[in-house]
Amino acid sequence: MVSAQLLAPLVPALPLAGAVLIAALRRRLSGHTAGMLATALIGGSFLCSVLLFLGFDPAGGAQVAHLFDWIRVADMRIGLAFQVDALSLTMMLIVTGVGTLIHLYSIGYMHDDPRQSTFFALLNLFTFAMLLLVMGANYAVTFIGWEGVGLCSYLLIGFWYTNPAYNYAARKAFVMNRIGDVGFVLGLALVFQVFGTLDYTAVMERADGFATGAPAITAITLLLFVGAIGKSAQLPLFTWLPDAMAGPTPVSALIHAATMVTAGIFLLVRSSALFVLAPLTQDVVLVTGLVTALCAATIGVFQNDIKKVLAYSTVSQLGYMFVALGLGAFSAGLFHVTTHAFFKALLFLGAGSVIHALGGEQDIRRMGGLRSSTPSTYRTFLVGTLAIAGIFPLSGFFSKDAILAHAYQYSPWIYALLVAGAALTTYYMFRLLFLVFFGSYRGQAHPHESPAVMTAPLWVLAVLSVAGGALNLPHVFGGHEPMKHFLATAASGVGLEQLHLSALLEWSIMGFSTAVVLLTIWIAYGRFAKKATLDPEADALPVPQRWAARKWYLDELYERLFEKPYGWLSTNLSALLEQRVMQPLMVGVGTTTERLGDLLRRAQTGNMSTYLFAMVAGLLIFLFLTLNGL
């Protein structure tokens, strides 16, 4: 308990101190110094998280570090407190561990940017907000972190604000996240009305008194899921995430691969005691995740921007995680969050290394043959690609297999659709790998390997992508699912997970999915590695492929349904209300005040006799009215 009281507040305090210090001294600090300071402070947070993890006893339950009462109104008492348990520790290690590597990588990637100090201040500020989100002991503290990462995401996506397209992408991300946040706020209001508190421990304990399918619980979970849809980029609110690739590549790795987009997953796992009581909500989560995973995968097949391929891959993988949560496999979903943080951060940083090597080029059709000129980037990118494809024995194999096994138990059709999604993922990821690193170079720049400050984090993430499967090794491989048992002490929904499949059936499931993945790799190799086949422009594709290449026209649909009507309404209301009503009203008020003032000014003659006469006349009138009872 003592260690939690001392160390827990220090975990978010260090990056907050870094953000404030670097922002205050940004004109005096060199970019390199700011980067080193920011990296050291987030590294200090990681060290504190490790110490908390080593000193944590799951049998002892959650440890709460209460700093002070934040809000006290009538019966409402909300404290600024941090909860240290298995779930928060897992997320703290991911956020600070992967975050430290990304900060270190950014020193090399952003070395020639004139606003490098500002960039590192924002990275530290984002990390602080994310740590608030995952460490909060109640929904209110989580919500503050939730809004904080949304704000920091807006600032980092639009970091190069002189480009109008980047500003639009930042606004789009901010607005679409606010749509989801409305659901989150309404969910919090309903939580307080039903349970009388926002503390996680009290809410989960009192939830035991509700029957399965209770309308209040269903309403709460649906509203919380709306919040998760926005933050974790699920249909219909996922279109902001691919556009968010406008930000610097380290931003994509930190915010849109390893941390911010997993906030929705965290929220559902933290609230698992509520979700297991709402089967309708779990069905909605399952269907939403499944449709999102397949939709994003089909779009990713036809993307030519190296970062957007990875962006749609992120959306698809988040869909897999939501499918796991909808199936009640909360530990499997969080296990995939962990492995995904390793290999997706690796892939984004590898993409950044390629972009750095080619002087800013992002179109994979203008790449090729880079494995000889960027050997470290190629080897680590290959590891990340194998991991996301689910090749044994890399981490992605184990986390995907856990989800597929639960899906097969629930419905073989769900399993088949997820395997199809895995095949699409494998296809477009190896298409990316082969077009970038194989064949002959098709660009104009002079490729070169990135400096050690950028390649070292790649190798660390590559090792984690290989060995991460050991965190939750299943019984068929001689393991005991340690991560599942660890999380069960913090999320009661994890303790309800049941997988009733024979060892032979599990091996069959793994064997079939692996065979599909290997066949897909062979097809992609023949099409893109040997011949370097480049897909035609979207307009030249057949109709189904054209629709997928055009992102199923979702952006155009939203533009017609929301953007244009809103713009038309704003323009016309401006013409009607602003120019014809409000503007004349404001001008009239000003003119009337001016004329009244001029009239009163004329009464000020400067003649003392006039003033005395007015005063005496006023007194006489006052006495007359008073004596006559008027």
Side-chain angles (χ1 to χ4, degrees):
M1 180 66 72
V2 176
S3 62
Q5 291 288 344
L6 292 175
L7 290 178
L10 199 58
V11 174
L14 288 175
L16 176 61
V20 173
L21 186 61
I22 295 172
L25 302 177
R26 67 185 185 280
R27 300 186 187 279
R28 299 181 183 180
L29 294 176
S30 66
H32 181 77
T33 303
M36 293 298 293
L37 178 60
T39 304
L41 288 171
I42 187 65
S45 289
F46 175 66
L47 178 60
C48 292
S49 300
V50 171
L51 293 175
L52 283 170
F53 174 77
L54 295 177
F56 179 71
D57 180 13
Q63 301 178 12
V64 176
H66 183 88
L67 301 186
F68 55 84
D69 284 344
W70 175 27
I71 300 174
R72 293 192 71 173
V73 179
D75 294 333
M76 178 185 288
R77 180 177 178 180
I78 299 175
L80 182 61
F82 301 125
Q83 182 166 314
V84 178
D85 59 13
L87 179 57
S88 61
L89 281 171
T90 300
M91 294 301 298
M92 287 160 60
L93 291 170
I94 294 173
V95 172
T96 58
V98 176
T100 300
L101 296 173
I102 294 173
H103 276 69
L104 180 62
Y105 174 96
S106 300
I107 295 174
Y109 189 86
M110 301 292 290
H111 74 280
D112 57 351
D113 194 289
R115 298 175 61 234
Q116 189 176 358
S117 296
T118 302
F119 178 79
F120 281 106
L122 290 174
L123 277 190
N124 264 198
L125 184 63
F126 168 82
T127 308
F128 161 72
M130 189 66 196
L131 287 169
L132 274 187
L133 192 157
V134 300
M135 293 179 65
N138 53 66
Y139 281 105
V141 176
T142 293
F143 181 72
I144 297 302
W146 188 278
E147 291 301 300
V149 295
L151 173 62
C152 293
S153 175
Y154 165 77
L155 296 172
L156 287 167
I157 293 169
F159 182 75
W160 290 320
Y161 58 87
T162 55
N163 188 322
Y166 294 175
N167 280 329
Y168 177 81
R171 291 198 306 271
K172 183 177 181 180
F174 191 80
V175 170
M176 296 194 80
N177 272 272
R178 298 292 77 71
I179 295 172
D181 292 351
V182 171
F184 194 3
V185 171
L186 294 175
L188 296 192
L190 193 54
V191 166
F192 187 80
Q193 181 182 6
V194 172
F195 296 101
T197 180
L198 293 178
D199 288 342
Y200 286 123
T201 303
V203 169
M204 302 315 154
E205 288 176 352
R206 297 174 189 178
D208 292 338
F210 287 81
T212 300
I217 302 297
T218 301
I220 289 172
T221 51
L222 284 173
L223 289 170
L224 294 180
F225 179 56
V226 170
I229 286 175
K231 197 67 71 184
S232 293
Q234 298 294 286
L235 273 171
L237 301 179
F238 79 80
T239 57
W240 68 268
L241 192 143
D243 287 357
M245 297 301 106
T249 302
V251 173
S252 304
L254 180 64
I255 297 181
H256 307 121
T259 54
M260 173 180 163
V261 293
T262 62
I265 312 294
F266 166 82
L267 179 64
L268 267 62
V269 176
R270 175 62 82 192
S271 307
S272 60
L274 301 178
F275 280 84
V276 295
L277 296 174
L280 174 61
T281 304
Q282 285 194 284
D283 289 340
V284 173
V285 173
L286 170 62
V287 172
T288 302
L290 183 62
V291 175
T292 302
L294 294 175
C295 179
T298 57
I299 297 173
V301 170
F302 298 98
Q303 297 301 305
N304 294 311
D305 184 303
I306 187 171
K307 288 174 66 175
K308 288 201 172 182
V309 174
L310 298 177
Y312 283 106
S313 169
T314 296
V315 176
S316 183
Q317 295 305 305
L318 289 168
Y320 271 83
M321 299 170 200
F322 276 102
V323 167
L325 302 184
L327 295 169
F330 297 99
S331 68
L334 201 67
F335 182 32
H336 198 52
V337 166
T338 306
T339 61
H340 179 263
F342 298 152
F343 58 69
K344 186 53 65 67
L346 169 59
L347 290 169
F348 265 116
L349 296 186
S353 183
V354 169
I355 295 168
H356 180 271
L358 300 180
E361 181 60 68
Q362 294 186 200
D363 193 330
I364 61 177
R365 295 171 295 185
R366 299 190 181 96
M367 300 179 186
L370 297 183
R371 57 177 173 171
S372 58
S373 54
T374 58
S376 291
T377 301
Y378 162 67
R379 294 188 181 99
T380 53
F381 201 93
L382 175 62
V383 170
T385 306
L386 291 170
I388 195 173
I391 298 298
F392 179 83
L394 280 77
S395 60
F397 169 83
F398 295 100
S399 58
K400 274 192 176 181
D401 173 68
I403 297 174
L404 291 174
H406 281 277
Y408 185 88
Q409 178 175 267
Y410 183 84
S411 169
W413 288 106
I414 301 294
Y415 166 78
L417 290 172
L418 290 179
V419 170
L424 288 172
T425 299
T426 303
Y427 181 80
Y428 64 68
M429 285 306 305
F430 275 90
R431 169 181 177 262
L432 175 63
L433 178 77
F434 294 142
L435 288 180
V436 172
F437 294 102
F438 284 64
S440 57
Y441 181 56
R442 299 178 294 275
Q444 302 296 326
H446 300 285
H448 58 278
E449 184 60 277
S450 299
V453 71
M454 294 174 63
T455 56
L458 297 180
W459 283 109
V460 175
L461 288 168
V463 172
L464 293 172
S465 299
V466 172
L471 295 173
N472 202 40
L473 198 66
H475 295 284
V476 292
F477 286 95
H480 300 285
E481 297 182 312
M483 187 174 186
K484 175 181 176 181
H485 295 297
F486 182 61
L487 291 172
T489 63
S492 57
V494 175
L496 301 176
E497 294 179 21
Q498 297 294 331
L499 186 61
H500 302 290
L501 297 177
S502 66
L504 177 60
L505 188 54
E506 282 198 61
W507 283 110
S508 300
I509 292 171
M510 289 185 289
F512 178 73
S513 60
T514 301
V516 170
V517 166
L518 292 174
L519 176 62
T520 306
I521 294 174
W522 180 76
I523 294 172
Y525 179 81
R527 180 174 173 81
F528 301 110
K530 289 185 176 181
K531 302 177 183 179
T533 304
L534 300 179
D535 294 323
E537 295 295 334
D539 292 337
L541 292 169
V543 172
Q545 292 94 319
R546 187 191 314 158
W547 287 6
R550 295 292 187 188
K551 300 171 286 187
W552 298 107
Y553 292 97
L554 287 174
D555 282 321
E556 290 79 1
L557 176 64
Y558 295 161
E559 182 182 6
R560 292 187 179 183
L561 288 179
F562 304 109
E563 286 190 54
K564 287 187 175 180
Y566 181 79
W568 179 88
L569 189 63
S570 299
T571 301
N572 285 275
L573 284 179
S574 173
L576 179 63
L577 295 179
E578 290 288 337
Q579 297 178 19
R580 297 187 181 182
V581 179
M582 295 303 298
Q583 187 173 346
L585 181 62
M586 296 298 293
V587 172
V589 170
T591 302
T592 302
T593 303
E594 182 181 9
R595 290 178 178 176
L596 183 61
D598 184 66
L599 181 63
L600 292 174
R601 180 183 62 80
R602 293 178 184 277
Q604 304 297 318
T605 64
N607 191 319
M608 292 297 296
S609 299
T610 304
Y611 295 159
L612 288 172
F613 174 78
M615 183 176 65
V616 171
L619 287 172
L620 291 174
I621 293 172
F622 176 75
L623 288 172
F624 175 78
L625 294 175
T626 303
L627 293 174
N628 289 276
L630 298 177

